[in-house]
Structures are given as structure tokens and as C-alpha cells.
Amino acid sequence: MYRSRSRFTRDRRWQIAAVAGVAVVVAGVGLGVASADAAVPTVNCPQVKIGVAVPAQQQADVQRNLELLNTQITEANARLKSTVGQGGPQFIQNAILGPLKDKRIATINRIETAIGRNAAKPDLNAEGLAPCTLNQGGGASPQQNTAPPATATSAPAAAGGGDGLPTVDCPDVTIGVAVPAQQQADVQRNLELLQTQIAEANARIRSTVGQGGPQFIQNAILGPLKDKRFATINRIETAIGRNAAKPDLNAEGLAPCTLNEAGGATAEPTTAAPTTAAPTTEAPAQPGADAPAGSPVEVNGQLSVCGVQLCNEAGTAIQLRGMSSHGLQFFPNCVNAGSLSALRNDWKADFIRLSMYVQEGGLETDPTGFTNKVNGLVDQATELGLYVVVDFHILTPGDPNVNLGLAKTFFQNVTAKHADNNNVIYEIANEPNGVSWDGIKNYADQVIPVIRANSPDSVVLVGTRGFSSLGLTDGSDEKEILADPVDFKNIMYTFHFYAASHGADRRAVVARAAKELPLFVSEFGTQTFTGDGNNDFTSTDAWLDLLKANKISYGMWSLSDGRETNSAFKQGTCAGTNFNGAGVLTESGRYIRSRILTGVGNPN
Ligand code: IDC
């Protein structure tokens, strides 16, 4: 977050400089000619940081690609200049920023591949770092740092002379960022722990010689070692993140160790004291306490379930109002720093629900890529001080048990990354359907412990039978849940409605159920359950009034710019950079922005 704040300050300075420049020129040569140049925007691209040591053999290649990132920036700026006035409103996005992003992805990927030839292939977050924004006011673009990256020292030769037993060979965890003074001790402890883990694994190899089948070492030693390393590296990231920008140390890539079949001394990981960042004047922060002043997370802190209500850290019952994304795979450009900032600052929303479809081209097609995407978006929302609902969006098939394995891995990864966050809510199954409450509960009983292992205090949302209708769609109701509730703390049950399909009879059940069960409306629509057709704002008003009276949180489907009436943004909005104001919104978008802003009544 500090990084983005300073970027903002820098942008403002460029703008002011550019405006001042115009004023001088206007005074000197009169209106017209010179002002055009001052108004030409420039690109603003995030820094690509290589947080790992680069093997000597790959230094030149990596260096070349870093320099290429600057060439691409220069070329884009030249094109912005030479095409002033060309094309429609989307011209810059389609003809300049889009291709620039593609080039940057390819370049960053080449850097990863190069390093991966002689070391563990790092994840440099190409997806997150490729997109550039526009400095509307012009000015110099921030340049990519091309200082030669740190060289990897070659691993010490295996000492040999041992007992001939295999030893583990783990990649070095390099902390490429400065560690805040307050976190030095914690980071150091964790670095040492990495060594202890290796020593323990080697000891276990020695003490178990001859045990188990061919997979014994993998299953009983290397597997658990990987999990431990993953958690330790994550703890280092989290520690640094408490007082500085949270780094990505590539836990996924650096956790796995291989086997030195020939044995010998294991390459010792670096435990040299990490470099210290200039001390900040801020007191050591609580996790999440660095949320921007006045933001929902800064104001409310860690949530919990108190009776049937959602409570803030002070124990006061609150209602969160927000938006659900559409499928992240369907509208990849609609949830980003710009739209989240509009949600937070222009709509005064409290949360974003990240709808991670499992099927239909979602998570199952690229678990690593989509998990990284979700993790990145959680970080962006966190920087803004928004709460985030991480929605495991099952729909077809409707039995969540079908996706149990994927769910466990997904939540393990996301909670590991955000173990110390106080702003993440986990929704374990969007809309179970064609499955009994028993089946849903069975799934919940297996997934919730995975979440709680890393994130013991998080609020967890459990989908209900019949497309999260509390069972109503299947002719049942809330009583089946009351008879057999999910037996964990801080659980809420989801209820979804689509206002043009679901009316007074369902509202009566929700009013009744709300007295006995903690409910969370993680998704609703102003139209029919198809997500399309005319909006029914009269019914929606009645629903939202009921939710307000009972302090039930809600998120509207959806933060997208498609053709369906559920899309809050007008078509084409997500290709651009402006998400603020009513002008970019559809009828349902204007309605919900107004309801979120005021908590009450009527569109516009
Ligand atoms: C709809 C989308 C639509 C998509 C369909 C299937 O609006 O574009 O083709 O899903 O993926 C839900 C679901 C939600 C639905 C939404 C509207 O949670 O995924 O989105 N809806 O039909 N439950 C009730 C309605």
C-alpha cells in the first residue's frame, strides 16, 4: 500500500507540473499550439521486481528483458503522442495499453523462464504487473529499474563423506526487499526455522532407512517439509507486510525440495540478518491495522458472529453493503484497482465478493492461475480497506462434494496467503443445488477446518440448500438447518434472492429465519433469477428494507459490463479506466450505488 500511495503522490506531481507548464506556455505564445503537447497522456507501469537471485548463466538474458520493459514504455508513449485525436473513446485502451500489456506479460514470462533454466522458476506475477494505467496529465513515465539483479551463488558442493544416505536439497529463500525494523526478529526466526526444518528432514531420512514403500520419503518427509516451508515463507511475507508492502516471495515455487540421492551436506539456506528498512514512525501495526483511515476495515476491524448478527471488532452489530463480481473468468477486466477504488470511494461500499467459478472455464481449468488471481485481488481490496468475500462459486454441478478436493486446495492456498488478514470472509459454496442439507453439511465439515487451520477467526459463509434459498426452492426451509447446524464458530448461512422472481412469501421466511440464524445475502439481483430481464426495484426496495431492519449484509450481482441487466457497468466500461460516477452505470448499477451510499430508498 505504501507503494501505491507514493505512486499516487508522484502522479499528482506530474499533473501539477504539466498544468503549470501549460500556463507558462499560454502566457508566452498564446492559445492553441503548445497546449496540445502538454495534454498528451503517458503510461504508468508498475515495477517488475525480481525477488530471487538470478543464476549467473541467465544474468544477461534477464538484463536484456528488463531493458526491453523500458523500450516498450518509450514506444507506447511515442505512440500516444503520434496518435493524438485518433480513434474512438477506446482507442488508447485497445490500440496502445492492450498490446503493451501483452508485450509485458511475454517479457516477464521470459524472465521467469530464463531464471527457471538454472534455478527454481519464480512467479514474478506477470498477470498483476503487466497492465499499465494512463497518466492523464502526461509527464515522465516511471521507468523500470534495470539494475543488474542479484547473482545466485552456486550451491556449495555436496560435502560427501556422509553416510551415503540421501539428503534434502531445498531452494534458497531470498528476501529481495528491505525488512522493516519491527519485523527483523520475526523474519530472522522464520529464516532459521527453514534451516531447522531441513535438519529435521535429514534426520528423519536417517532414522527411517528401509521403512515404507517407494513413495515413503516423498509422502512422509518431502511432502510435510514442503507444507512447513510454505507456511514459514508465508509467515515471512505476512511479517514484512505488517509494516511495508507485502512481498511475494514465491512460497509456492520455493517450498518444494528435492532429494540429493548421493547424500552429502545440504545447501544451507541463507539466514544472514535481512536488510533493514528505514524505520517507520508508525507503531508496530496489528494485522490489518494499516487499512486506510476511515475505510470499512479500519473502522470495523476483525468481524465475528455475535448471536444472529455480524459484529465488528467492538462487538457492535453491523450491516455490510457491497457488490459481487460476475464470474472472474467471464469479466476479467471488471475487478481491478480502478473499479475497487470506485466501489470504496465513490459508492462507499464495504466489500467486494470475488466470484471464483469452479466450472464453466473457471478454477478447475487453471487452479494455480486463478488462485493467484484471487490472491492478487484480495490484496488490492485490502490496500483499499475493503472487506472481501472469497466465493467458491459452484453452480453446475450443484453438489459441492464433487469439488471437495479443489475446494480444500483453493482455501488452503488463499488462507495461507492471507492468514493474518482481518478482512477476508470465506464463502465455501455459492449455491448448492440437487443436494441435501446433509450433503452440504458433510462438505462444510471438511472444508471449514482447512480454512480455520490458517485463519482461525475468519467468518465463514455456508451456502444453503436449493440455490442458497434456505431450502425454499426444494420445498424445505430453515428448520432443517436449525435442526442440524454447522458446528463451528463464526458461521453464517447464505440466502440469495432475485427480486423479480422472489417476493413477499420468501421475505416472510427470511424475516422469521433471521431471528434464529445468522444470515448473509452474499448475492441478490434486481431482476429474475436468470440474471436478466426487467429490473423490479419495488420488490428490491422491499427486500433491502428487510435486510436493513435486520442488519443483514448484502452484495449485488454483479460488478460487470455485460448485456444482462444484472451488469452494474455499461457495456465497454471495463475496457477503460474510469469507473466513477453514475455515468458509467446501468439502471441496476445506479440503483445499487444509491442504496449503498445512503442505505435507503429508490434509484437515482
Ligand atoms: C449467471 C450469469 C450468467 C451466466 C450464468 C451461468 O448472470 O451470465 O451465464 O450465471 O454461469 C445465480 C448464480 C449466478 C448466476 C445468477 C443469475 O449464483 O452464477 O449468474 N444467479 O442467473 N443464482 C441465482 C441467479
Side-chain angles (χ1 to χ4, degrees), residues 532-559:
D532 209 359
N534 290 339
N535 295 301
D536 184 341
F537 294 125
T538 310
S539 172
T540 313
D541 264 345
W543 273 111
L544 296 190
D545 289 347
L546 172 71
L547 301 186
K548 183 179 166 67
N550 288 279
K551 290 203 166 69
I552 297 174
S553 302
Y554 65 74
M556 191 185 91
W557 185 265
S558 68
L559 200 70

Coordinates of all heavy atoms in Angstrom, one line a residue, residues 532-559:
D532 N -31.3 -11.7 -15.8 CA -31.6 -10.8 -16.9 C -33.1 -10.5 -16.8 O -33.9 -10.9 -16.0 CB -31.3 -11.5 -18.2 CG -30.9 -10.5 -19.3 OD1 -31.0 -9.3 -19.1 OD2 -30.6 -11.0 -20.4
G533 N -33.6 -9.6 -17.8 CA -35.0 -9.2 -17.8 C -35.1 -7.9 -17.0 O -34.1 -7.3 -16.6
N534 N -36.4 -7.4 -16.9 CA -36.6 -6.1 -16.3 C -36.2 -6.1 -14.9 O -36.4 -7.1 -14.1 CB -38.1 -5.7 -16.5 CG -38.4 -5.4 -17.9 OD1 -37.5 -5.1 -18.7 ND2 -39.7 -5.5 -18.3
N535 N -35.7 -5.0 -14.4 CA -35.5 -4.8 -13.0 C -36.8 -4.5 -12.3 O -37.7 -3.8 -12.8 CB -34.6 -3.6 -12.8 CG -33.2 -3.8 -13.4 OD1 -32.5 -4.7 -13.0 ND2 -32.8 -2.9 -14.4
D536 N -36.9 -5.1 -11.1 CA -38.1 -4.8 -10.3 C -37.6 -4.1 -9.0 O -37.2 -4.8 -8.0 CB -38.8 -6.1 -9.9 CG -40.1 -5.9 -9.1 OD1 -40.2 -4.8 -8.5 OD2 -40.9 -6.8 -9.1
F537 N -37.5 -2.8 -9.1 CA -37.0 -2.1 -7.9 C -37.9 -2.0 -6.8 O -37.5 -1.7 -5.6 CB -36.5 -0.7 -8.4 CG -35.4 -0.7 -9.4 CD1 -35.4 -0.1 -10.6 CD2 -34.2 -1.4 -9.0 CE1 -34.4 -0.1 -11.5 CE2 -33.1 -1.4 -9.9 CZ -33.2 -0.8 -11.2
T538 N -39.2 -2.1 -7.0 CA -40.2 -2.1 -5.9 C -39.9 -3.3 -5.0 O -39.8 -3.2 -3.8 CB -41.6 -2.2 -6.5 OG1 -41.8 -1.2 -7.5 CG2 -42.6 -1.9 -5.4
S539 N -39.8 -4.5 -5.6 CA -39.5 -5.7 -4.9 C -38.1 -5.6 -4.2 O -38.0 -5.9 -3.1 CB -39.6 -6.9 -5.8 OG -39.1 -8.0 -5.1
T540 N -37.2 -5.0 -5.0 CA -35.8 -4.9 -4.4 C -35.8 -4.0 -3.2 O -35.2 -4.3 -2.2 CB -34.8 -4.4 -5.4 OG1 -35.0 -5.1 -6.7 CG2 -33.4 -4.6 -5.0
D541 N -36.6 -2.9 -3.3 CA -36.7 -2.0 -2.1 C -37.2 -2.7 -0.9 O -36.7 -2.6 0.2 CB -37.6 -0.8 -2.5 CG -36.8 0.4 -3.0 OD1 -35.6 0.4 -2.8 OD2 -37.4 1.3 -3.5
A542 N -38.2 -3.5 -1.1 CA -38.8 -4.2 0.0 C -37.8 -5.2 0.6 O -37.7 -5.3 1.8 CB -40.1 -5.0 -0.5
W543 N -37.0 -5.9 -0.3 CA -36.0 -6.8 0.2 C -34.9 -6.0 1.0 O -34.6 -6.4 2.1 CB -35.3 -7.5 -1.0 CG -36.0 -8.7 -1.4 CD1 -36.7 -9.0 -2.6 CD2 -36.1 -10.0 -0.7 NE1 -37.2 -10.2 -2.6 CE2 -36.8 -10.9 -1.5 CE3 -35.6 -10.4 0.6 CZ2 -37.1 -12.2 -1.1 CZ3 -35.8 -11.7 1.0 CH2 -36.6 -12.6 0.1
L544 N -34.5 -4.9 0.4 CA -33.3 -4.2 1.1 C -33.8 -3.6 2.4 O -33.0 -3.4 3.3 CB -32.7 -3.3 0.1 CG -32.0 -3.9 -1.1 CD1 -31.2 -2.9 -1.9 CD2 -31.1 -5.1 -0.8
D545 N -35.1 -3.2 2.4 CA -35.6 -2.6 3.7 C -35.6 -3.7 4.8 O -35.2 -3.4 5.9 CB -37.0 -2.1 3.5 CG -37.0 -0.8 2.7 OD1 -35.9 -0.2 2.4 OD2 -38.1 -0.4 2.2
L546 N -36.0 -4.9 4.4 CA -36.0 -6.0 5.3 C -34.6 -6.3 5.8 O -34.3 -6.5 7.0 CB -36.6 -7.3 4.6 CG -36.5 -8.6 5.4 CD1 -37.4 -8.5 6.6 CD2 -36.8 -9.8 4.5
L547 N -33.6 -6.3 4.9 CA -32.2 -6.6 5.3 C -31.7 -5.5 6.2 O -31.0 -5.8 7.1 CB -31.4 -6.8 4.0 CG -31.8 -7.8 3.0 CD1 -30.8 -8.0 1.9 CD2 -32.0 -9.2 3.7
K548 N -32.1 -4.3 5.9 CA -31.6 -3.2 6.7 C -32.1 -3.3 8.1 O -31.4 -3.2 9.1 CB -32.0 -1.9 6.1 CG -31.5 -0.6 6.8 CD -32.0 0.6 6.1 CE -31.8 1.9 6.9 NZ -30.5 2.2 7.1
A549 N -33.4 -3.6 8.2 CA -34.1 -3.7 9.5 C -33.4 -4.8 10.4 O -33.4 -4.7 11.6 CB -35.6 -4.0 9.4
N550 N -33.0 -5.8 9.7 CA -32.4 -7.0 10.4 C -30.8 -7.0 10.4 O -30.2 -7.9 10.8 CB -32.9 -8.3 9.8 CG -34.3 -8.5 10.2 OD1 -34.6 -9.0 11.3 ND2 -35.2 -8.2 9.3
K551 N -30.3 -5.9 9.9 CA -28.8 -5.8 9.8 C -28.2 -7.0 9.1 O -27.3 -7.6 9.6 CB -28.2 -5.6 11.1 CG -28.4 -4.2 11.7 CD -27.3 -3.9 12.8 CE -27.3 -2.5 13.2 NZ -28.4 -2.1 14.0
I552 N -28.8 -7.4 8.0 CA -28.3 -8.5 7.2 C -27.5 -7.9 6.0 O -27.9 -7.1 5.3 CB -29.4 -9.4 6.6 CG1 -30.2 -10.0 7.8 CG2 -28.9 -10.5 5.7 CD1 -31.4 -10.8 7.4
S553 N -26.2 -8.3 5.9 CA -25.3 -7.8 4.9 C -25.7 -8.3 3.5 O -26.3 -9.4 3.4 CB -23.9 -8.3 5.2 OG -23.5 -7.9 6.5
Y554 N -25.4 -7.5 2.5 CA -25.8 -7.9 1.2 C -24.8 -7.5 0.1 O -24.1 -6.5 0.3 CB -27.2 -7.4 0.8 CG -27.3 -5.9 0.7 CD1 -26.8 -5.2 -0.4 CD2 -28.0 -5.1 1.6 CE1 -27.0 -3.8 -0.5 CE2 -28.2 -3.8 1.5 CZ -27.6 -3.1 0.5 OH -27.8 -1.7 0.4
G555 N -24.7 -8.2 -1.0 CA -23.9 -7.9 -2.1 C -24.7 -8.1 -3.4 O -25.3 -9.2 -3.5
M556 N -24.7 -7.2 -4.3 CA -25.5 -7.3 -5.5 C -24.7 -8.0 -6.7 O -23.5 -7.7 -6.9 CB -26.0 -6.0 -6.0 CG -27.1 -6.2 -7.1 SD -27.7 -4.6 -7.9 CE -26.5 -4.5 -9.2
W557 N -25.3 -8.9 -7.4 CA -24.8 -9.4 -8.6 C -25.2 -8.5 -9.7 O -26.4 -8.2 -9.9 CB -25.5 -10.8 -8.8 CG -25.0 -11.6 -10.0 CD1 -25.6 -11.6 -11.3 CD2 -23.9 -12.5 -10.1 NE1 -24.9 -12.5 -12.1 CE2 -23.9 -13.0 -11.4 CE3 -23.0 -12.9 -9.1 CZ2 -22.9 -14.0 -11.7 CZ3 -22.0 -13.8 -9.5 CH2 -22.0 -14.3 -10.8
S558 N -24.3 -7.8 -10.5 CA -22.8 -8.1 -10.5 C -22.0 -6.9 -11.0 O -22.5 -6.1 -11.7 CB -22.6 -9.3 -11.3 OG -22.8 -9.0 -12.7
L559 N -20.8 -6.9 -10.6 CA -19.8 -5.9 -11.0 C -19.2 -6.3 -12.3 O -18.1 -6.9 -12.4 CB -18.7 -5.7 -10.0 CG -17.9 -4.4 -10.0 CD1 -18.8 -3.2 -9.6 CD2 -16.7 -4.5 -9.1

